[in-house]
Amino acid sequence: MNEHGILIVALVLYTCSALFSLRPKGRAGDIVISLGIMMNAVGLIMRGFVDGSWFPALMIDGKLSLPLFLALIALAFSLTGRKTPSRVVAFALVLCSFAAFLPDPAQALPSAKTQLPVGTAFFLTEAVSIALFVSSGFLALSALLFHRDTGWDVRQCIVWGFVMFTICQVLGAVWAFAGWSYPFSWSSRHLVSASVWCLYAALLHAGAARISQRVQHVFAAAGLVPVSFILFYHEFSRMIVSLSEMFP
Amino acid sequence: MKRLWTFFSRMDLGFWLLILTSLNLFVGVMVTTCHETLFKKLNFMNLPAWIQTVAARPGLYLWMITLFVLLLLLAVNTAVCTTMYTRTAVRQNRLTERLGIILFHIAFVIALGGHCTSEFIGLSEQITIDAGTTTRVPGTGLAIETVDVRKLTSTINGAEARLGIEATLKAVAPGEPAVPLKIKTMEPQFSLGYTFHLSFMDKGLTEDQAQLIVRRDYGLMLIVLAGITSLIAIVLYVRFTLRERRSL
């Protein structure tokens, strides 16, 4: 079975685990999601193998590794007895897995950009933080739309997502300096990262600034927009350019 | 003066400034996506010089002016709030628990200062080097003798993987002996007060040619300091602050 086939199996397992998690009792959901995590990891490890050599940098693809980290977050919530957040993240996991795994992923090739370990560390921390931000966004949406009590979980995802995203930005600055000569560039990729960082920095201060929880949830849910821009950067960029050509 | 201090010490001001900055940056994402080539030039120019070249099209840079105003207000708000927070922490004898947060805010202000320095007084020149020739670097007084340029490629699974560019150079400053440089993409070298980088971009260039970036950026020192400080702050935050909050 090739890498794409394995990722499709992971997608099926994730979908089954989300359905199992709807049951009030039992560990079937946890077992199935763990199998999905294993298949997802195997798919990513296979992606790193190119022509007999293993390139760790090729494993960490933002879109393909996002479901893996979302699944780990859902599992962590479930194992700590937080069933509602676990179900919400499992729902986000299924959506993200469909978007990431259904299209056949293009073959990854090693390049000069992927040779520096700091680049790999950058993509790894980015994928983890994005998974935490996506979780916080869906948890905030569930609080807004279905009045679920997920305030504490949203906060935890934002705190840890922000910590990881800050480390990611420091590593990214080192990588960008080594490769492009500047730690920050006036490009949409760097600007959207700065936008995400500012948004979640604001949300970290929201409690102390006495901002209502509803407003906090609105902004946490709105965070899904710039975060999706990072994940689907090329697709969004093409769409914006096409729109600007239609309406000059 | 006291009223101004009170105004800037408000936490909710910081929250809304961060939200506005995030929105402003997202507007920047749209603008830079539509005018990618124009903004790429800004990475090798000072901001005032770049704005002069696009002065007739305010739509391209108005968002940058509002961004700088917001960042200035944010820097003042951060400095004032951090001073107040530190004072309270010292008074309550809880500096250790709060040192992570204090250091993180200091790092943020230092990073802003570093980026500002880079944008306004940094020097960056991109030149095409050609094996066997000498090229002058405008604005630096340096001359670059190119001994050799090598493009590293490999055929992997039938596709050409570009693994970078290597160059052997000699940098000659007026009145000083020539300094040998052996640089590669992703592996810049520091010499004569400048950093020398090889660009990945070699479209339209021959096998003996490459793009060399020569940079002198004092803001970078502040950015490095901010990066290290923020990483220390994160360690302290996780070690002391989160532990304290969990035990409450």
Side-chain angles (χ1 to χ4, degrees):
Chain A
M1 196 184 278
N2 67 2
E3 167 205 338
H4 190 217
I6 287 178
L7 292 176
I8 294 289
V9 174
L11 164 65
V12 173
L13 289 166
Y14 286 152
T15 311
C16 292
S17 78
L19 292 173
F20 280 128
S21 72
L22 294 174
R23 296 188 335 173
K25 281 187 179 175
R27 286 277 169 208
D30 294 349
I31 295 166
V32 177
I33 207 170
S34 304
L35 290 172
I37 289 168
M38 277 195 278
M39 293 309 277
N40 197 159
V42 169
L44 291 176
I45 290 167
M46 279 175 73
R47 190 174 168 77
F49 268 108
V50 180
D51 214 21
S53 304
W54 188 54
F55 299 91
L58 301 183
M59 281 172 50
I60 318 291
D61 176 285
K63 262 181 275 183
L64 299 179
S65 49
L66 174 71
L68 176 75
F69 295 117
L70 278 176
L72 286 169
I73 294 166
L75 185 62
F77 273 132
S78 179
L79 292 177
T80 49
R82 309 215 37 100
K83 288 292 174 197
T84 305
S86 172
R87 282 178 197 142
V88 174
V89 178
F91 175 71
L93 166 66
V94 174
L95 282 184
C96 292
S97 304
F98 268 96
F101 295 164
L102 274 188
D104 195 356
Q107 187 196 23
L109 282 181
S111 70
K113 294 173 195 172
T114 56
Q115 285 169 1
L116 218 58
V118 75
T120 313
F122 163 72
F123 283 114
L124 181 68
T125 47
E126 189 181 57
V128 176
S129 51
I130 293 288
L132 286 159
F133 290 152
V134 168
S135 303
S136 75
F138 275 88
L139 288 166
L141 270 179
S142 75
L144 286 171
L145 301 177
F146 306 109
H147 308 288
R148 297 278 183 254
D149 180 20
T150 52
W152 184 85
D153 311 283
V154 172
R155 173 94 190 153
Q156 290 303 305
C157 287
I158 290 174
V159 168
W160 287 105
F162 184 79
V163 165
M164 291 307 287
F165 199 67
T166 302
I167 296 171
C168 155
Q169 293 309 297
V170 174
L171 294 170
V174 174
W175 188 52
F177 176 74
W180 291 264
S181 83
Y182 36 75
F184 172 80
S185 114
W186 292 95
S187 67
S188 47
R189 185 66 174 84
H190 285 223
L191 289 168
V192 77
S193 293
S195 173
V196 166
W197 191 90
C198 287
L199 176 65
Y200 289 97
L203 286 170
L204 275 187
H205 291 86
R210 294 199 172 82
I211 304 295
S212 77
Q213 195 154 54
R214 190 173 167 77
V215 173
Q216 291 183 40
H217 286 156
V218 168
F219 282 118
L224 289 171
V225 177
V227 163
S228 307
F229 194 95
I230 294 180
L231 273 175
F232 299 96
Y233 174 69
H234 295 294
E235 292 82 352
F236 269 104
S237 298
R238 272 198 295 270
M239 191 180 79
I240 293 168
V241 171
S242 312
L243 283 174
S244 75
E245 283 165 359
M246 278 166 67
F247 307 102
Chain B
M1 192 65 189
K2 198 180 173 189
R3 279 172 67 185
L4 204 62
W5 179 271
T6 311
F7 174 73
F8 275 111
S9 65
R10 286 169 52 181
M11 282 280 276
D12 58 336
L13 176 71
F15 174 84
W16 290 111
L17 281 174
L18 279 164
I19 293 287
L20 286 175
T21 308
S22 175
L23 285 172
N24 198 145
L25 283 162
F26 203 70
V27 171
V29 171
M30 302 295 162
V31 178
T32 48
T33 305
C34 298
H35 303 93
E36 204 185 337
T37 323
L38 260 177
F39 280 90
K40 264 187 185 161
K41 288 183 191 164
L42 179 53
N43 294 324
F44 301 102
M45 286 174 95
N46 280 339
L47 190 64
W50 181 83
I51 287 181
Q52 275 179 9
T53 65
V54 292
R57 300 168 69 185
L60 287 176
Y61 59 84
L62 269 179
W63 68 274
M64 294 168 107
I65 295 170
T66 53
L67 178 67
F68 276 102
V69 172
L70 284 169
L71 289 176
L72 179 67
L73 292 172
L74 199 53
V76 175
N77 174 252
T78 308
V80 173
C81 281
T82 310
T83 309
M84 303 280 281
Y85 188 78
T86 312
R87 206 188 286 168
T88 313
V90 171
R91 229 179 267 157
Q92 294 176 346
N93 203 18
R94 295 171 82 173
L95 193 60
T96 317
E97 292 96 323
R98 295 182 178 180
L99 194 58
I101 293 175
I102 294 164
L103 278 181
F104 199 87
H105 286 82
I106 292 171
F108 174 66
V109 176
I110 296 173
L112 282 183
H115 283 297
C116 214
T117 310
S118 294
E119 289 307 325
F120 287 94
I121 59 167
L123 181 144
S124 182
E125 290 292 342
Q126 190 170 16
I127 55 166
T128 303
I129 52 169
D130 200 343
T133 65
T134 301
T135 317
R136 298 223 159 265
V137 186
T140 63
L142 292 177
I144 303 293
E145 287 177 36
T146 310
V147 180
D148 182 37
V149 172
R150 249 167 33 96
K151 311 254 167 120
L152 311 171
T153 55
S154 174
T155 306
I156 298 174
N157 290 349
E160 190 190 59
R162 298 167 73 188
L163 301 174
I165 305 170
E166 272 182 355
T168 310
L169 315 167
K170 278 181 191 166
V172 188
E176 292 198 38
V179 178
L181 299 169
K182 193 160 176 64
I183 55 172
K184 197 181 165 188
T185 42
M186 299 303 293
E187 288 175 25
Q189 204 172 324
F190 179 79
S191 190
L192 299 165
Y194 295 89
T195 48
F196 297 85
H197 307 252
L198 270 186
S199 169
F200 302 109
M201 304 299 165
D202 62 349
K203 211 174 181 181
L205 301 182
T206 66
E207 280 301 299
D208 291 332
Q209 290 179 325
Q211 295 280 358
L212 178 74
I213 302 160
V214 182
R215 196 171 184 97
R216 189 178 58 207
D217 185 356
Y218 297 116
L220 198 65
M221 292 175 204
L222 289 175
I223 296 169
V224 170
L225 178 66
I228 294 168
T229 311
S230 63
L231 292 179
I232 294 170
I234 286 172
V235 173
L236 292 173
Y237 178 76
V238 174
R239 174 78 179 79
F240 297 108
T241 317
L242 281 181
R243 177 180 281 193
E244 183 210 16
R245 286 183 185 175
R246 267 195 215 112
S247 65
L248 284 176

